[in-house]
Amino acid sequence: MNSVQNLKAAISKECDTVPLLQVTSMCKAKTNKRRRLGPKPVVQLAHGVEGTLLNEAPGNVIITNPHDAAAVYMSGCYGKGSMSKGAPTGLLDQSEHLILSPCEAMYLVEVGALILIQPELKQVCRSDLYKLWMNHDAGFCEKFIIYKHFRDKKYTVRSGIKYGGDFMLYTGDPNTSHAAYVVKVMTTTQEPLWTDVNALRRVSESVAKECVLSYVHFNQANDRSNPDCVDSAIVSHVLLKRWIPERDREIASQKLEKMKE
């Protein structure tokens, strides 16, 4: 039995002792470069797990209770082990803790799955969390909106920093499948440096992933300092693909043949 199966077994022994809240998927999905399989929400998450907010930048969250940490991770690959690169195998023997990024923690707070406390055991409200993370990262608002957008669509969202993006999107368990997309969050107030965008596209293509530029649009009445702006923002995406003249000519010739028939 591998480490992921061990975590699942540990969860199943106690899953009937805690209230459950359905969120996202950890089901295995086979990936195909030509055909993407949609994510399937099947796993549930313990409600009201406590996490400790680390005040230093970037404001990560730590969950020390091994059962709570395993339940959060197994419900949709939220967070990473403090000593692991992949699945946090040390949760079972308590040799490591679960670390959540600000976007992951904020999303779990919004769905009622996580309660955050500061080291002095004071519970932190949603608006204070939002202001804290905005102070650490001026682009947190846009990043969280995009993160929430894809999580709500049942994708497993992980950090995309190793490919030069903000997020990677999986249609299944990251431990058994590859990411389908690399996502870069763009701002509508600043023109992108297209040499950087092209570099991101080439890196994504070299690892068999598609590159997505995600934009967040606010109306004039929206105040980015208020977390309520998250619900009224509009999201749009641009899928970048390499232009191959030969392929375009082939498609055009096929259309002409069909018109002649």
Side-chain angles (χ1 to χ4, degrees), residues 110-184:
E110 294 234 329
V111 299
L114 183 68
I115 299 172
L116 289 187
I117 58 175
Q118 291 178 319
E120 58 270 19
L121 302 182
K122 178 182 178 182
Q123 185 173 338
V124 189
C125 67
R126 174 175 175 261
S127 59
D128 289 342
L129 288 171
Y130 182 83
K131 291 177 182 177
L132 172 67
W133 285 323
M134 282 290 287
N135 289 334
H136 286 326
D137 180 5
F140 172 75
C141 176
E142 288 83 358
K143 291 176 183 176
F144 174 66
I145 290 171
I146 298 300
Y147 180 91
K148 182 177 184 297
H149 171 80
F150 285 116
R151 274 290 184 181
D152 287 346
K153 291 186 176 297
K154 310 306 178 185
Y155 284 96
T156 300
V157 186
R158 305 291 289 170
S159 172
I161 190 170
K162 67 179 180 180
Y163 295 129
D166 293 300
F167 304 115
M168 290 191 296
L169 304 183
Y170 294 81
T171 57
D173 184 353
N175 298 296
T176 59
S177 62
H178 294 286
Y181 304 97
V182 177
V183 177
K184 181 67 176 177

Side-chain angles (χ1 to χ4, degrees), residues 16-47:
D16 57 346
T17 65
V18 292
L20 297 178
L21 174 68
Q22 182 169 342
V23 282
T24 187
S25 168
M26 275 289 293
C27 68
K28 294 182 180 179
K30 295 180 180 179
T31 57
N32 186 296
K33 294 180 181 179
R34 296 184 177 181
R35 181 174 177 266
R36 305 296 187 188
L37 298 181
K40 301 176 182 179
V42 293
V43 179
Q44 297 179 322
L45 172 68
H47 180 75

Side-chain angles (χ1 to χ4, degrees), residues 1-12 25-28 43 69-71 73-77 84-92 96 158 172-177:
M1 185 180 292
N2 61 30
S3 59
V4 176
Q5 291 173 329
N6 287 335
L7 283 174
K8 288 183 179 179
I11 296 298
S12 63
S25 168
M26 275 289 293
C27 68
K28 294 182 180 179
V43 179
Y73 181 80
M74 292 306 303
S75 66
C77 285
S84 304
K85 290 185 177 180
T89 56
L91 295 179
L92 295 177
E96 64 177 337
R158 305 291 289 170
D173 184 353
N175 298 296
T176 59
S177 62

Side-chain angles (χ1 to χ4, degrees), residues 33 36 162-164 168 178-182 199-211:
K33 294 180 181 179
R36 305 296 187 188
K162 67 179 180 180
Y163 295 129
M168 290 191 296
H178 294 286
Y181 304 97
V182 177
L200 174 62
R201 182 196 62 77
R202 292 299 297 268
V203 170
S204 302
E205 187 179 76
S206 68
V207 291
K209 306 182 193 314
E210 293 184 308
C211 179

